[in-house]
Amino acid sequence: MSDESLLSLAGVRRAFDGGRIVALDGVDLAIGSGESVALVGRSGSGKSCLVAIATGLDKPDAGAVYWRGRKISSRREWAALRRQSIGIVFQEFHLLPTLTAQQNVELALMGGRADQAEQRRAAAAALDRVGLAGRRDNLPSEMSGGERQRVAIARALVRDPLILFADEPTGNLDSVNAEKVAALLLDLQRERGVSLVLVTHDTELAERCHRIVRLSDGHVVEDRRMGENVT
Ligand SMILES: Nc1ncnc2c1ncn2[C@@H]1O[C@H](COP(=O)(O)OP(=O)(O)OP(=O)(O)O)[C@@H](O)[C@H]1O
Ligand SMILES: [Mg+2]
């Protein structure tokens, strides 16, 4: 694997039900620093499995994941990477319902080096960046789906990750909110130079990324840079 890639998967296989269901079958994929990659493919093609393995939330049955060319092997290394360098946004937001927007974002900083005042400031700045400065003290139940997703993005962002994974972040949103969230993710990618891996069923959104990777039955069947012909 090239040392120039930030995160890469090599020969990743993941099967379920004693091998009857093969979700990923020999996947090689390298994500470069600062690039936006749309991960597309039909339902069941393995996109979420790939995200889970690329973020260390699940383990491959064979193959490995590398960070800057170095194999990540322990839970401890994965935990450190997710704390410092990898942000994740899910379709279902996963906010804690009893905490305010501000507290949900601050939670991502707990156990880190920042003291409480710094945590508060950083969380407020992240909420400000996603356009929710006025909603800091609201609970998730008091916010729209689009607003909740923006809180989740602020939470992923607050630790300044180098790579952000978003698994169908607009899947539960109406078209207006979906566009707001999509534009926010792409803007953040550009302005911070963070790598973005965006799982989406939206072709128009995928085409706004630098690169489109298509999965089919657990295989990468297409890997295309925008402006290039299909490979
Ligand atoms: N825990 C599990 N146990 C059994 N099978 C699983 C499990 N997780 C995923 N699978 C199977 O692995 C395959 C890939 O699933 P995955 O969730 O990655 O698909 P996906 O591309 O994200 O689909 P969607 O677009 O619907 O989200 C599917 O056939 C799915 O049923
Ligand atoms: Mg999925």
Side-chain angles (χ1 to χ4, degrees):
M1 280 287 122
S2 156
D3 280 9
E4 282 164 32
S5 61
L6 195 57
L7 185 92
S8 52
L9 283 70
V12 164
R13 180 184 162 86
R14 181 70 169 107
F16 298 100
D17 286 0
R20 273 197 320 111
I21 299 169
V22 180
L24 296 173
D25 194 6
V27 169
D28 296 321
L29 181 68
I31 311 295
S33 188
E35 70 173 343
S36 53
V37 181
L39 188 59
V40 304
R42 264 190 241 158
S43 180
S45 57
K47 305 180 298 296
S48 294
C49 271
L50 192 154
V51 169
I53 286 173
T55 55
L57 297 175
D58 188 20
K59 278 180 69 159
D61 299 315
V65 184
Y66 297 78
W67 179 257
R68 296 190 192 281
R70 210 168 64 86
K71 187 170 169 176
I72 313 160
S73 33
S74 68
R75 273 169 174 278
R76 200 197 177 99
E77 286 172 296
W78 271 120
L81 270 180
R82 281 196 305 270
R83 205 164 44 240
Q84 292 158 12
S85 307
I86 299 178
I88 317 175
V89 174
F90 299 96
Q91 181 173 348
E92 308 85 5
F93 323 135
H94 293 312
L95 300 176
L96 292 180
T98 55
L99 300 185
T100 64
Q102 171 80 21
Q103 290 165 334
N104 264 286
V105 178
E106 278 178 24
L107 201 58
L109 295 169
M110 285 205 355
R113 251 170 280 165
D115 65 31
Q116 221 175 5
E118 282 174 67
Q119 287 178 14
R120 212 168 296 142
R121 225 175 8 249
L127 284 167
D128 193 11
R129 175 60 192 88
V130 301
L132 292 176
R135 306 305 302 276
R136 267 178 231 154
D137 298 326
N138 288 98
L139 295 170
S141 60
E142 297 164 341
M143 307 178 104
S144 74
E147 288 167 344
R148 286 181 215 178
Q149 190 58 299
R150 285 187 277 146
V151 175
I153 292 171
R155 178 184 57 187
L157 198 77
V158 72
R159 282 181 296 199
D160 260 330
L162 293 172
I163 185 164
L164 184 62
F165 285 85
D167 191 349
E168 296 193 48
T170 62
N172 281 348
L173 306 178
D174 62 70
S175 59
V176 172
N177 277 301
E179 174 49 35
K180 269 194 197 169
V181 163
L184 174 63
L185 287 169
L186 292 167
D187 284 350
L188 288 167
Q189 185 277 318
R190 275 190 295 267
E191 103 195 10
R192 304 197 173 203
V194 60
S195 307
L196 174 67
V197 178
L198 179 61
V199 176
T200 182
H201 285 283
D202 178 341
T203 314
E204 191 269 333
L205 174 55
E207 286 174 353
R208 287 154 73 185
C209 294
H210 296 133
R211 183 177 162 204
I212 299 181
V213 171
R214 182 177 304 277
L215 283 180
S216 176
D217 292 334
H219 298 274
V220 174
V221 292
E222 182 186 338
D223 187 347
R224 173 164 61 108
R225 283 181 195 282
M226 292 317 291
E228 274 180 14
N229 292 328
V230 177
T231 55

